[in-house]
């Protein structure tokens, strides 16, 4: 074992340090196919003190590291290429849950859906609900500022984080808050920093009261265009659905052929899944308004689900859509981009044309209410020619989204996967300012090095001692 | 006093000040109080001329405007489309959007309609190194890059001078009504505030300062007609309802503003490091936040 591995084993015990290539294989990718990198070491602290000591040992050895939750990320953000991976899944205690203040304090490895289950007894839930919520962790959600279907009404992770205790890469432990009583919003800067600013030790999040009434509508359309236009009309009408999701025919086909079949009409070109929630009287009025609006906008039919089992079935198809696409091809390249909502129909036409030109099939399943596209391409990334075509198509799609005034990621993060697009989205001065913000938290740039913001954009590259690569 | 009309002019002003280590006092409409710590600067940079709405697509519920645009101008432009940017901060609508965001000043509706940091999607600014930066964007969901938008929101012009804001708008509620409850009890009204009816605000008022006779509670309800009617029925259980005009909230915003958050700024080591990265010469609003080096 290397000196570093021995020092880490002194903190967490030898059983919680992996140093052999064979045992590290499982950590060589996250949920994004096509990108793989083997860490040199993996270490699994179980308590706050162990985590802090692990980070301090890494600091002493000037060793770069990557913090990892459940590895469900979709941008390659949790890959540790020849450096130490700090796995946080053992830190899974809910430390406090207060129904009066409607907050919970948790360790970073608590699974998103576990927190919601724990809050259910109090009529509360944790609102951000990424599709991976059954596996992804709160710590990972904070690193990525994760979203989910219900963020349309309830806001993304950032809107639900009240305070956090974090350990900076130099081992210093600091308490961050939102600056509501004065102070720079360092918590706001930390959330979504993709593991480049430090590691969450404990976090206090807001819990949201369960709505009195929830109703889910399924509207089906004979053209994707009409479905996208209907989305814009719902938003413009001033209704704020809890969620507004669009699935195209390719997605519907995959879902309906799978064990997640939700009863979506197979002959539809697109369906919209619209959910409204809140106090009963207002919700029922919204449903009447929405049903009329969707029909006027060209929906062939509108199904209204009141019953929890019926609603759960409609949602299962949406939440498991990525999994269902496994029926089409061995890999699924999941993309994430955002466009102004009035330009959804136009961008979907552009994406279809790009896919056709490159001979790839694009399956769209996304958060239409936010303009947050997920053009996914089922493919075999082990076939180099196909991988090249997919890459070319994705690059064109991202370029089109940027040209439409959009962004390259709404909720998955930049990670490694989207670094190449950052120069097209931001000016050199802006990227340099992002590097300076990173330097506030991690001046030696050892936390998740090379992710989120391209290194070449950092103008004042300090005379940092070369990060030592530890060979196990 | 300098009043730049273009971002390039502002960059020149900041660059010159940074090279001479000459402090600048940054103001919007110049209506903001000194927040307890007067800025010692010979030059005041007034951002009022960086104004106007540069981009507004009502269907997107987003709007971009110059930092010097007043809240009243913003309200007029969006009202025509049945929308608003529900900042509605403490103070009045003659203040600028830039000052509201720079100070992260919220108001009585923040809990329900969003705080400044939830309503700013992106911005442009000139930092203390005279760098023109443009983080975030005009779309409503965006996690590309480190969040300079959040950092600058509420930084009181001590890291950068805001020039342009990209804002999230919301549809105005179809029905919007306000009620005065003279005989309300705190416990029942707080329960109502936390309950399923999601009032826009439940606000305790003291005395006749608002033309209302004595102490009591002001409640604002908003939503579709059925939602407001059921909320009103529930509210009747909290006391006797007397209707009040919506304009009452303008007076509440003027009179009931809480003390300035700038007075209690925590100058932690991280806060000093932030300042050093974005304003190394210490020229932007020095002293405003009571910092000691």
């Amino acid at each position: 074992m290397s000196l570093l591995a021995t020092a880490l084993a002194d903190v967490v015990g030898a059983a919680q340090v992996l140093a052999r290539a064979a045992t590290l294989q499982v950590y060589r990718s996250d949920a994004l196919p096509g990108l793989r990198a083997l860490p040199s070491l993996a270490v699994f602290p179980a308590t706050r003190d162990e985590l802090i000591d692990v980070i301090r040992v890494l600091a002493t050895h000037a060793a770069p590291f990557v913090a990892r939750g459940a590895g469900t990320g979709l941008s390659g953000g949790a890959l540790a290429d020849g450096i130490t991976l700090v796995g946080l899944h053992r830190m899974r205690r809910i430390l406090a849950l207060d129904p009066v203040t409607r907050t919970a304090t948790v360790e970073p490895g608590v699974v998103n859906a576990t927190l919601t289950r724990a809050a259910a007894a109090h009529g509360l839930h944790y609102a951000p609900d990424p599709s991976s919520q059954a596996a992804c962790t709160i710590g990972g959600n904070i690193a990525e500022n994760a979203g989910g279907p219900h963020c349309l009404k309830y806001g993304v992770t950032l809107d639900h984080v009240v305070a956090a205790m974090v350990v900076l890469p130099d081992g210093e432990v600091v308490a961050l808050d939102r600056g509501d009583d004065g102070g720079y919003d360092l918590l706001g800067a930390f959330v979504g920093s993709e593991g480049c600013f430090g590691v969450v030790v404990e976090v206090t999040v807001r819990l949201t009261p369960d709505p009195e009434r929830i109703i889910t509508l399924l509207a089906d359309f004979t053209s994707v265009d009409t479905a996208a236009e209907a989305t814009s009309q719902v938003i413009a009408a001033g209704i704020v659905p809890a969620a507004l999701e669009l699935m195209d025919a390719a997605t519907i086909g995959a879902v309906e052929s799978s064990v997640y079949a939700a009863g979506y009409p197979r002959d539809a070109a697109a369906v919209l899944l619209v959910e409204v929630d809140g106090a009963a009287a207002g919700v029922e009025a919204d449903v009447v308004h929405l049903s009329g609006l969707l029909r006027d906008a060209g929906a062939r039919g509108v199904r209204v689900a009141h019953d929890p089992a019926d609603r759960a079935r409609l949602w299962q198809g949406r939440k498991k859509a990525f999994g269902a696409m496994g029926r089409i091809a061995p890999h699924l390249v999941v993309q994430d981009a955002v466009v102004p909502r009035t330009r959804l129909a136009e961008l979907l036409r552009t994406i279809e044309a790009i896919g056709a030109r490159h001979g790839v099939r694009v399956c769209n399943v996304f958060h239409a209410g936010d303009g947050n596209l997920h053009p996914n391409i089922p493919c075999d990334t082990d076939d180099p020619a196909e991988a090249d075509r997919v890459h070319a198509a994705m690059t064109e799609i991202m370029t089109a989204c940027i040209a439409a005034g959009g962004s390259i990621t709404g909720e998955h993060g930049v990670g490694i996967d989207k670094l190449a697009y950052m120069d097209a989205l931001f000016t050199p001065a802006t990227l340099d300012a992002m590097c300076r913000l990173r330097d506030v938290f991690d001046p030696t740039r050892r936390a998740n090095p090379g992710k989120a913001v391209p290194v070449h954009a950092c103008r004042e590259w300090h005379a940092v001692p070369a990060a030592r690569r530890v060979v196990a | 006093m300098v009043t730049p009309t273009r971002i390039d002019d502002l960059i020149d002003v900041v660059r010159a000040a940074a090279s001479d280590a000459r402090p600048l006092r940054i103001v919007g409409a110049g209506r903001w109080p000194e927040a307890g710590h007067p800025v010692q600067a010979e030059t005041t940079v007034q951002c009022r001329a960086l104004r106007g709405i540069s981009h507004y697509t009502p269907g997107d519920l987003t709007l971009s405007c110059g930092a010097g645009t007043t809240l009243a101008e913003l309200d007029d432009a969006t009202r025509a489309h049945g929308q608003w940017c529900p900042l509605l901060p403490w103070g009045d609508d003659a203040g600028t959007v830039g000052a509201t965001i720079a100070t992260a000043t919220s108001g009585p509706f923040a809990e329900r309609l969003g705080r400044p940091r939830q309503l700013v999607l992106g911005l442009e600014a000139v930092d203390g190194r005279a760098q023109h930066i443009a983080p975030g964007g005009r779309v409503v969901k965006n996690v590309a890059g480190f969040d300079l938008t959040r950092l600058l929101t509420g930084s009181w012009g001590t890291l950068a001078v805001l020039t342009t804001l990209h804002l999230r708008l919301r549809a105005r509620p179809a029905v919007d009504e306000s009620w005065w409850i003279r005989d309300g009890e705190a416990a029942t009204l707080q329960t109502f505030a936390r309950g399923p009816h999601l009032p826009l605000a439940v606000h305790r008022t003291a005395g006749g300062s608002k033309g209302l006779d004595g102490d009591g509670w002001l409640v604002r309800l908003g939503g579709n007609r059925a939602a407001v009617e059921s909320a009103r029925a529930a509210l009747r259980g909290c006391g006797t309802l007397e209707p009040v005009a919506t304009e009452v909230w303008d007076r509440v915003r003027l009179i009931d503003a809480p003390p300035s958050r700038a007075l209690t700024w925590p100058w932690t080591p991280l806060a000093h490091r932030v300042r050093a990265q974005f304003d190394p010469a210490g020229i932007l609003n020095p002293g405003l936040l009571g910092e000691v080096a």
Side-chain angles (χ1 to χ4, degrees):
Chain A
M1 271 190 153
S2 66
L3 282 177
L4 175 60
T6 307
L8 292 171
D10 285 345
V11 176
V12 297
Q16 302 301 335
V17 177
L18 304 181
R20 286 184 300 119
T23 56
L24 287 164
Q25 288 300 321
V26 70
Y27 297 102
R28 101 193 153 128
S29 72
D30 59 12
L32 182 76
L35 282 177
R36 287 165 199 134
L38 198 64
S40 61
L41 278 176
V43 55
F44 308 114
T47 65
R48 156 185 162 163
D49 289 345
E50 282 187 6
L51 169 58
I52 293 166
D53 285 346
V54 161
I55 300 301
R56 288 181 179 163
V57 166
L58 290 162
T60 306
H61 288 75
F65 64 90
V66 180
R68 173 179 166 121
T72 55
L74 288 161
S75 58
L79 298 196
D81 191 359
I83 60 177
T84 302
L85 185 141
V86 182
L88 298 165
H89 57 272
R90 295 176 70 215
M91 294 183 65
R92 52 170 181 256
R93 286 181 304 161
I94 295 173
L95 303 170
L97 199 159
D98 184 345
V100 176
T101 58
R102 291 174 177 163
T103 57
T105 300
V106 303
E107 292 184 332
V110 168
V111 169
N112 177 303
T114 303
L115 177 56
T116 280
R117 272 200 298 278
H122 305 285
L124 300 169
H125 66 285
Y126 179 62
D129 60 339
S131 292
S132 57
Q133 71 186 128
C136 65
T137 63
I138 300 291
N141 292 171
I142 287 169
E144 301 299 321
N145 191 13
H150 289 84
C151 292
L152 176 59
K153 177 171 178 180
Y154 291 99
V156 292
T157 299
L158 184 50
D159 298 316
H160 298 271
V161 180
V162 177
M165 182 195 290
V166 307
V167 53
L168 301 182
D170 68 358
E172 187 191 350
V173 176
V174 295
L176 303 179
D177 65 41
R178 301 187 294 190
D180 285 343
D181 301 318
Y184 296 122
D185 186 4
L186 296 174
L187 181 64
F190 187 93
V191 174
S193 60
E194 303 200 19
C196 298
F197 288 8
V199 184
V200 173
V201 177
E202 281 178 21
V203 58
T204 301
V205 297
R206 251 171 29 137
L207 300 172
T208 302
D210 296 341
E212 188 177 281
R213 183 72 46 90
I214 310 171
I215 298 176
T216 309
L217 292 83
L218 183 80
D220 79 278
F221 293 83
T222 52
S223 99
V224 178
D225 255 32
T226 322
E229 296 290 357
T231 297
S232 300
Q233 288 178 34
V234 169
I235 299 297
I239 301 171
V240 184
L244 204 181
E245 305 281 306
L246 189 151
M247 282 168 275
D248 68 6
T251 307
I252 294 167
V255 168
E256 289 305 312
S257 305
S258 77
V259 293
Y260 309 122
Y264 303 149
R266 277 177 178 274
D267 61 340
V271 295
L272 288 180
L273 194 60
V274 191
E275 186 157 283
V276 280
D277 69 11
V283 168
E284 275 150 24
D286 272 344
V287 167
V288 171
H289 186 181
L290 267 172
S291 304
L293 199 153
L294 290 165
R295 283 206 175 83
D296 291 347
R300 190 173 58 172
V302 179
R303 205 168 110 194
V304 181
H306 297 264
D307 177 55
D310 205 12
R311 288 186 37 248
R313 187 158 172 252
L314 287 180
W315 271 110
Q316 167 162 282
R318 164 61 187 92
K319 293 235 171 181
K320 305 291 189 187
F322 289 12
M325 287 175 201
R327 297 182 60 82
I328 301 175
H331 300 124
L332 181 69
V333 174
V334 175
Q335 202 43 280
D336 172 39
V338 193
V339 296
R341 295 175 276 202
T342 49
R343 302 192 64 177
L344 271 177
E346 171 197 341
L347 262 294
L348 288 169
R349 282 194 298 271
T350 304
I351 288 169
E352 191 184 0
I354 291 169
R357 197 157 60 242
H358 291 279
V360 296
R361 182 177 193 191
V362 184
C363 302
N364 290 291
V365 45
F366 64 96
H367 314 306
D370 291 317
N372 187 180
L373 296 162
H374 291 317
N376 302 329
I377 303 183
C379 59
D380 180 358
T381 55
D382 293 330
D383 171 348
E386 186 171 12
D388 284 350
R389 292 205 311 275
V390 170
H391 180 75
M394 283 302 191
T395 303
E396 277 189 38
I397 289 171
M398 295 312 253
T399 305
C401 291
I402 294 172
S407 173
I408 59 170
T409 173
E411 55 183 14
H412 295 173
V414 174
I416 304 172
D417 189 43
K418 297 184 178 189
L419 276 176
Y421 309 118
M422 289 292 276
D423 290 308
L425 193 60
F426 295 114
T427 62
T430 307
L431 291 171
D432 179 58
M434 289 176 186
C435 294
R436 283 188 270 134
L437 177 54
R438 184 211 178 116
D439 285 349
V440 167
F441 291 89
D442 180 22
T444 60
R445 299 179 182 171
R446 286 185 301 106
N448 215 359
K451 308 280 177 61
V453 171
V455 171
H456 67 78
C458 305
R459 289 175 187 169
E460 291 178 48
W461 184 251
H462 302 276
V464 179
R468 203 184 331 159
R469 273 211 166 191
V470 179
V471 181
Chain B
M1 166 93 75
V2 293
T3 308
T5 53
R6 298 178 313 136
I7 289 178
D8 285 347
D9 298 341
L10 175 63
I11 292 170
D12 290 343
V13 169
V14 175
R15 185 179 290 123
S19 71
D20 306 345
R22 199 161 28 81
L24 300 173
R25 176 172 179 260
I26 315 300
V27 302
R31 303 176 57 81
W32 207 263
E34 285 292 358
H37 306 291
V39 176
Q40 302 299 328
E42 278 174 31
T43 309
T44 294
V45 180
Q46 215 215 36
C47 300
R48 177 72 181 98
L50 298 168
R51 66 197 285 191
I53 291 165
S54 52
H55 193 276
Y56 179 25
T57 307
D60 286 328
L61 287 166
T62 60
L63 178 149
S64 303
C65 66
T69 310
T70 65
L71 295 168
E73 289 164 345
L74 185 61
D75 204 57
D76 284 345
T78 52
R79 184 183 295 275
H81 297 275
Q83 299 179 352
W84 60 358
C85 182
L87 287 166
L88 305 167
W90 303 112
D92 64 31
D93 287 346
T96 64
V97 175
T100 305
I101 302 306
T103 58
T105 302
S106 56
F109 312 106
E111 196 57 42
R112 272 283 283 129
L113 298 176
R115 293 172 190 284
R117 53 178 56 104
Q118 292 168 307
L119 297 170
V120 185
L121 303 169
L123 51 81
E124 291 184 39
V126 177
D127 74 5
R129 301 185 188 219
Q131 295 297 307
H132 178 200
I133 60 177
R138 290 201 314 258
V139 285
V140 298
K141 205 170 167 192
N142 192 355
V143 295
F146 300 137
D147 202 342
L148 296 166
T149 306
R150 288 292 285 245
L151 180 73
L152 297 186
T153 301
S155 65
W156 291 77
T158 61
L159 305 178
V161 185
L162 305 184
T163 61
T164 304
L165 287 315
H166 307 303
L167 301 169
R168 180 196 293 275
L169 304 181
R170 297 192 196 283
R172 284 177 195 259
V175 180
D176 180 353
E177 56 185 42
S178 296
W179 299 94
W180 165 243
I181 306 175
R182 194 192 312 265
D183 53 353
E185 289 197 7
T188 48
L189 276 142
Q190 279 155 9
T191 303
F192 177 78
R194 285 165 58 91
H197 295 290
L198 300 175
L200 298 179
V202 173
H203 184 80
R204 180 92 175 105
T205 65
S209 54
K210 281 162 281 297
L212 300 164
D213 184 17
D215 294 358
W217 295 80
L218 271 174
V219 178
R220 187 168 181 176
L221 306 174
N224 65 40
R225 181 157 301 284
V228 171
E229 279 172 3
S230 80
R232 192 196 308 133
L235 187 60
R236 286 195 197 286
C238 299
T240 314
L241 308 191
E242 297 170 38
V244 281
T246 305
E247 287 68 35
V248 72
W249 294 102
D250 294 339
R251 279 177 286 155
V252 169
R253 284 169 52 205
L254 274 178
I255 294 161
D256 286 350
S260 169
R261 288 165 299 118
L263 291 170
T264 56
W265 205 261
W267 278 105
T268 60
L270 272 185
H272 280 293
R273 268 141 71 180
V274 170
R275 184 75 192 260
Q277 284 290 348
F278 290 88
D279 180 21
I283 55 164
L284 300 180
N285 280 342
L288 177 67
L289 301 176
E291 68 266 40
V292 273

